[in-house]
Amino acid sequence: MALWARAQQLPQESLQKVRAIYGEHFPIEVRHCLATWIENRIWTQEPEEQQRFFVEELVQELQTHAELMLSPELFVTKMKLIEASNLFRRQYSHAPHELYTYMRRCLALEMDVIQNAMGAPYIAQPQTERKYSELITGLQTVRQKVNMATEEIRSLQANIESFSLQYHECLKNKGHINYIQQSGPLTAERRELEACLRVQVEEMERKLNASVAQINQGQMELVDHMKENISTLRQLQSQVLDEELIKWKREQQLSGNGVPMQSNLNTIQEWCELLADLIWSTRQQVNNVARINSKTIVELRQPHLVEMLDDMSKQVTSLLSTLVTSTFVIEKQPPQVMKTNTRFTATVRLLVGGQLNVHMTPPRVTVVIISEQQAQLLLKSDTQSGRGKQPVECGDILNNSGCMEYQPTNRQLSVSFRNMQLRKIKRAEKKGTESVMDEKLTLLFQSEFNVGGGELVFQVWTLSLPVVVIVHGNQEPHGWATVTWDNAFSPPGRVPFAVPDKVTWIQLAETLRIKFCSATGGDLSEDNLRFLGEKIFSLCSRSNLPINPMELNGMTVSWTQFCKDALPERNFTFWEWFYMVVKVTRDYLRTLWCDRLIMGFIQKKQAEEMLGKCPPGTFLLRFSDSELGGITIAWTGEGNEVFSLQPFTSRDLMLRSLADRILDLTQLQFLYPNIAKDDVFSKYYTKPENEMLKNGYVKPVLVTTLPPYMSSSPAYAHSPDSHRNTPSVHSRYMIEF
């Protein structure tokens, strides 16, 4: 992501620091409008001899950008850029290296603010920045060519008007000659006049023939230039829509799994607005040439020109249609796991709405929910022959209609649905082992846009990411399994909503790592991922031999292994186990995990072997294999016997934190391998309250203790849970006053 794009995402306080960097010597408007050029040009230090052209090139860039700002809303910014170009030329023409150094210093300060605010170093991506620079250069180049075509049309029209005047003057002289020949006897004076007129007519015809050739050549050159512009616009539009906008949509989908977004929708909107302006201007040029041609005299009309112009008009109108329909996007997706009778929000935006003045007739957007099959039919009918019949809704959404509003400050035309609610849902028939949480639905957003004062009308629609509808909270884990798999592994250009049934473990491991990291703030190590791989493939129950990491990464995981098949000797799936681990860590163990105090992903047998070599009182924290969302404490007792405390779940940790429970249990002395527990856990202990409550009562405190048999004799090894390898111990609460 460009540095300036990162700066625009900063919190308000940090953004004010960025604004303070730029003053009269380097207006922030220049930084904004020339962001890509500035970062590409001065990111790497240039030799001083190369810097001598810097001011001249900067001024040229400013003037080019100012010329592109045709909208009235950008008039003030345009004036700022012109003033800045004059200032730079006046103050730094004799010392360009001073301005270069000053701007590098501003960028460095800006980078410091971003790093301090985001807590991570900014790493430039030269290839991406170069790609964006080439895109901007391409748009600027075609802008110049479109402007040149406008001048060619003016010149063509002036030549045709001049030809028309000369042509009618020639006809007038021919008429005069005919009059002389038919009006009586030819006297010497009249013969002389006729001869003079014939000479003039011959000269006029010679000039007219030359003008015809010149005008015909000019027309064909103009048509060729407009064809070239249309071809270039098609290529640039494909780069913006088929690459950058698709990449943004893919990043938006992956962000549902916790992947940070890199692309910036505002930057894409700027490109789309430039395209819209250029395509609309080109369309007007084609129509102007067609109008001029229709009004010219027959002698100037070329064969096939009308057909060529008509074909070009269709091409450029098709480009505009593609641009409008493709830039109707869902800026904020609805929740992908959606519960009935629960309020939810979504925002849709038209990236070219401001540029094409669509807001002059405020469009209304409606939202319906449709099935996967209806989405497939909709896509198929739209591809083949335009919009077919209205899709069949499979649910009832309240507050599903709204008008798009235009915000002049950011040039955004959008509508936010803040109070939608799915009241009821009609399910499709299930096959085999399918459940309602496997069913993918989607929200269909529809509208109609008028462009050019009603000259063109576009029917537009867009589909949300797949959503899973649930009616009860206990359906949520499986719903998120469906969504997570779809977000991670959906292929580009798929038929809604096809996903592979199998993926490699390394692909799934990366998805789980990102999911865990985004929820808890702490990453998963290679050992953690290896544990998860062994768990999903049930390797630990098959063999004691370790598996090669490369072999593990290449193994394939099926959808049913992921969230359908129960783990060996358990009544829950791998995903249900992992989902609850993420949930309990996010809600109650986040800080302990981020401080690496929880070993977490470790087999019970391995924990037993590790602790068996440690002195009594050594303990570690691991996620329970048998209890969903449970975390257990394993510790070494007298005689190097290892015990495990009955797992604590969210219900337990809600009453008393894990750190306080560790404080309560005096049997726990050292966090594995040999860290005194107070050295690392003390900052998480709840501070005792020494004062009575305002009502005069003393507040009781729950304290975790072990049962009496644990402190009296080694016989406590014979625990009630004797079928396990390691004795399990029940803890209990005592109330202290």
Side-chain angles (χ1 to χ4, degrees):
M1 186 185 295
L3 183 65
W4 186 243
R6 287 280 184 93
Q8 294 177 75
Q9 296 178 357
L10 292 174
Q12 191 61 35
E13 182 180 350
S14 299
L15 192 58
Q16 289 299 327
K17 293 179 181 178
V18 172
R19 290 179 61 88
I21 295 171
Y22 301 98
E24 296 179 359
H25 298 291
F26 186 9
I28 197 168
E29 289 83 4
V30 175
R31 177 68 180 99
H32 177 70
C33 295
L34 268 63
T36 303
W37 185 88
I38 289 171
E39 292 175 27
N40 286 337
R41 180 60 199 274
I42 66 178
W43 198 261
T44 305
Q45 180 73 45
E46 290 183 354
E48 192 165 320
E49 60 269 16
Q50 294 182 20
Q51 296 176 21
R52 68 176 186 270
F53 303 110
F54 180 68
V55 172
E56 181 182 338
E57 294 173 4
L58 176 61
V59 168
Q60 181 61 44
E61 286 292 324
L62 285 169
Q63 291 175 345
T64 302
H65 269 75
E67 290 174 2
L68 296 176
M69 294 180 175
L70 306 177
S71 172
E73 290 90 346
L74 297 175
F75 178 76
V76 175
T77 304
K78 181 177 182 178
M79 291 297 101
K80 286 274 190 182
L81 296 188
I82 294 173
E83 290 172 6
S85 66
N86 294 333
L87 172 69
F88 293 151
R89 182 183 283 121
R90 187 171 60 252
Q91 291 192 357
Y92 295 104
S93 291
H94 62 288
H97 63 279
E98 291 184 9
L99 179 60
Y100 184 89
T101 304
Y102 177 77
M103 292 176 72
R104 277 185 62 83
R105 190 162 61 249
C106 289
L107 278 193
L109 292 171
E110 184 181 315
M111 200 185 321
D112 287 341
V113 173
I114 291 174
Q115 290 180 359
N116 291 333
M118 296 188 170
Y122 172 76
I123 301 174
Q125 299 172 320
Q127 187 175 0
T128 302
E129 304 300 342
R130 183 165 56 252
K131 186 178 178 182
Y132 289 173
S133 179
E134 291 172 356
L135 178 59
I136 292 296
T137 301
L139 289 168
Q140 292 172 349
T141 301
V142 76
R143 158 64 71 189
Q144 293 171 353
K145 291 183 177 180
V146 168
N147 290 340
M148 289 170 59
T150 299
E151 293 302 319
E152 289 181 59
I153 292 173
R154 291 198 187 101
S155 176
L156 174 66
Q157 188 164 9
N159 290 338
I160 290 175
E161 290 173 353
S162 175
F163 175 87
S164 297
L165 291 175
Q166 295 176 33
Y167 179 78
H168 286 96
E169 186 66 25
C170 183
L171 290 178
K172 181 179 176 183
N173 286 348
K174 286 182 177 180
H176 200 175
I177 291 172
N178 290 335
Y179 176 77
I180 291 173
Q181 291 176 341
Q182 298 173 7
S183 61
L186 292 175
T187 62
E189 181 180 355
R190 295 178 70 181
R191 283 196 185 93
E192 183 179 353
L193 177 59
E194 181 184 355
C196 181
L197 287 173
R198 286 190 182 279
V199 171
Q200 291 181 13
V201 167
E202 289 176 1
E203 179 65 19
M204 284 183 174
E205 287 181 340
R206 185 185 65 79
K207 290 183 178 179
L208 286 172
N209 288 333
S211 294
V212 168
Q214 180 185 358
I215 290 172
N216 286 344
Q217 182 181 357
Q219 282 180 325
M220 296 314 297
E221 288 179 352
L222 174 58
V223 168
D224 288 341
H225 291 161
M226 290 193 298
K227 280 184 178 179
E228 182 183 345
N229 290 345
I230 292 172
S231 177
T232 305
L233 285 169
R234 183 180 295 109
Q235 294 173 5
L236 291 170
Q237 178 164 294
S238 176
Q239 187 176 347
V240 173
L241 300 183
D242 299 337
E243 295 180 24
E244 301 305 324
L245 187 57
I246 292 298
K247 183 173 77 171
W248 177 85
K249 289 182 177 180
R250 179 58 180 151
E251 287 184 4
Q252 186 188 47
Q253 184 176 20
L254 289 173
S255 70
N257 284 357
V259 180
M261 291 193 67
Q262 298 295 323
S263 301
N264 189 307
L265 192 59
N266 293 334
T267 301
I268 296 174
Q269 174 170 314
E270 291 177 9
W271 299 335
C272 292
E273 287 177 333
L274 280 172
L275 282 169
D277 182 39
L278 294 170
I279 292 172
W280 185 257
S281 297
T282 302
R283 184 175 182 275
Q284 289 180 313
Q285 289 175 350
V286 173
N287 292 340
N288 284 341
V289 174
R291 177 182 53 79
I292 292 169
N293 184 64
S294 67
K295 292 184 178 180
T296 58
I297 58 178
V298 177
E299 287 77 0
L300 288 179
R301 296 180 187 175
Q302 297 189 65
H304 309 305
L305 182 60
V306 174
E307 290 83 357
M308 292 170 65
L309 291 171
D310 185 55
D311 182 60
M312 290 166 62
S313 178
K314 290 178 181 177
Q315 289 184 42
V316 76
T317 302
S318 175
L319 281 180
L320 188 64
S321 174
T322 300
L323 183 63
V324 172
T325 54
S326 299
T327 55
F328 182 57
V329 299
I330 304 174
E331 182 177 10
K332 180 185 177 184
Q333 290 282 344
Q336 288 189 264
V337 175
M338 185 181 298
K339 191 176 179 182
T340 54
N341 298 309
T342 303
R343 187 179 70 89
F344 66 93
T345 64
T347 301
V348 290
R349 176 170 158 190
L350 180 63
L351 302 184
V352 296
Q355 185 65 45
L356 296 178
N357 293 320
V358 174
H359 57 280
M360 301 303 290
T361 307
R364 176 166 288 275
V365 181
T366 58
V367 191
V368 296
I369 188 166
I370 62 175
S371 66
E372 181 175 351
Q373 183 183 17
Q374 287 295 314
Q376 293 171 1
L377 293 173
L378 176 66
L379 193 65
K380 184 177 180 180
S381 64
D382 189 70
T383 303
Q384 291 178 346
S385 57
R387 283 295 303 276
K389 62 181 182 180
Q390 185 71 10
V392 178
E393 301 176 29
C394 62
D396 181 20
I397 300 178
L398 291 181
N399 305 316
N400 67 331
S401 178
C403 276
M404 302 190 82
E405 297 179 356
Y406 180 64
Q407 303 295 332
T409 53
N410 54 19
R411 297 180 54 77
Q412 291 183 8
L413 180 68
S414 62
V415 56
S416 293
F417 297 90
R418 296 184 177 88
N419 294 291
M420 287 194 289
Q421 189 176 111
L422 181 62
R423 295 301 302 274
K424 59 183 180 180
I425 189 70
K426 182 181 178 181
R427 302 285 188 182
E429 292 184 8
K430 303 295 176 291
K431 301 176 183 178
T433 60
E434 285 183 343
S435 70
V436 295
M437 289 83 76
D438 295 326
E439 183 180 7
K440 299 176 192 174
L441 308 171
T442 181
L443 268 60
L444 170 65
F445 295 80
Q446 304 172 92
S447 189
E448 181 179 281
F449 298 149
N450 294 318
V451 176
E455 180 182 351
L456 297 172
V457 179
F458 298 107
Q459 304 284 340
V460 301
W461 58 270
T462 188
L463 295 173
S464 74
L465 293 174
V467 300
V468 175
V469 175
I470 62 175
V471 297
H472 194 279
N474 60 13
Q475 297 174 322
E476 189 173 301
H478 193 113
W480 276 114
T482 302
V483 167
T484 300
W485 188 278
D486 189 275
N487 286 344
F489 309 122
S490 60
R494 65 172 173 175
V495 175
F497 293 106
V499 287
D501 183 59
K502 295 181 179 181
V503 296
T504 61
W505 166 247
I506 194 171
Q507 290 176 293
L508 181 58
E510 179 62 12
T511 298
L512 298 177
R513 186 191 68 80
I514 293 171
K515 193 82 176 175
F516 189 93
C517 185
S518 67
T520 67
D523 210 345
L524 293 179
S525 67
E526 288 299 322
D527 287 339
N528 297 152
L529 295 175
R530 180 182 175 85
F531 169 89
L532 293 174
E534 292 174 349
K535 191 173 194 67
I536 198 169
F537 293 117
S538 306
L539 297 178
C540 57
S541 63
R542 296 181 194 169
S543 172
N544 293 326
L545 296 176
I547 188 171
N548 183 285
M550 293 293 293
E551 185 182 349
L552 178 63
N553 288 340
M555 294 176 68
T556 57
V557 184
S558 68
W559 164 248
T560 55
Q561 277 179 289
F562 176 63
C563 69
K564 291 282 190 178
D565 296 340
L567 292 171
E569 301 180 9
R570 306 292 179 217
N571 60 356
F572 49 79
T573 66
F574 168 84
W575 169 257
E576 288 172 328
W577 181 87
F578 179 79
Y579 178 87
M580 294 305 293
V581 164
V582 172
K583 189 174 181 181
V584 74
T585 306
R586 179 196 65 195
D587 295 343
Y588 299 102
L589 308 172
R590 179 191 294 261
T591 53
L592 300 182
W593 176 264
C594 292
D595 272 0
R596 301 183 179 181
L597 304 181
I598 299 174
M599 193 166 291
F601 300 98
I602 179 174
Q603 297 289 348
K604 191 172 191 178
K605 184 176 180 181
Q606 185 181 357
E608 188 178 321
E609 292 173 353
M610 291 165 57
L611 290 172
K613 302 173 185 177
C614 298
T618 306
F619 68 97
L620 60 78
L621 308 172
R622 55 176 290 273
F623 296 119
S624 171
D625 290 315
S626 57
E627 185 87 22
L628 284 177
I631 185 166
T632 184
I633 303 174
W635 82 97
T636 307
E638 296 298 331
N640 281 33
E641 190 166 9
V642 178
F643 301 92
S644 289
L645 204 59
Q646 179 175 304
F648 299 113
T649 64
S650 295
R651 292 189 300 273
D652 303 308
L653 299 175
M654 187 186 304
L655 297 174
R656 188 160 177 80
S657 73
L658 184 59
D660 286 341
R661 293 176 183 277
I662 292 171
L663 172 63
D664 296 339
L665 298 171
T666 58
Q667 293 85 350
L668 309 180
Q669 295 297 320
F670 304 100
L671 179 66
Y672 182 87
N674 56 359
I675 307 171
K677 71 174 182 181
D678 289 344
D679 290 349
V680 289
F681 286 100
S682 59
K683 61 182 176 180
Y684 300 114
Y685 297 157
T686 301
K687 299 295 184 292
E689 296 182 9
N690 297 324
E691 298 180 1
M692 288 193 300
L693 300 177
K694 292 181 179 179
N695 56 11
Y697 289 104
V698 176
K699 185 177 180 180
V701 177
L702 294 174
V703 177
T704 306
T705 65
L706 296 181
Y709 66 82
M710 287 297 299
S711 56
S712 59
S713 167
Y716 56 70
H718 303 286
S719 70
D721 203 5
S722 58
H723 69 278
R724 302 188 185 178
N725 295 332
T726 303
S728 296
V729 179
H730 293 265
S731 62
R732 61 177 182 172
Y733 293 119
M734 288 183 60
I735 300 179
E736 291 188 351
F737 293 92

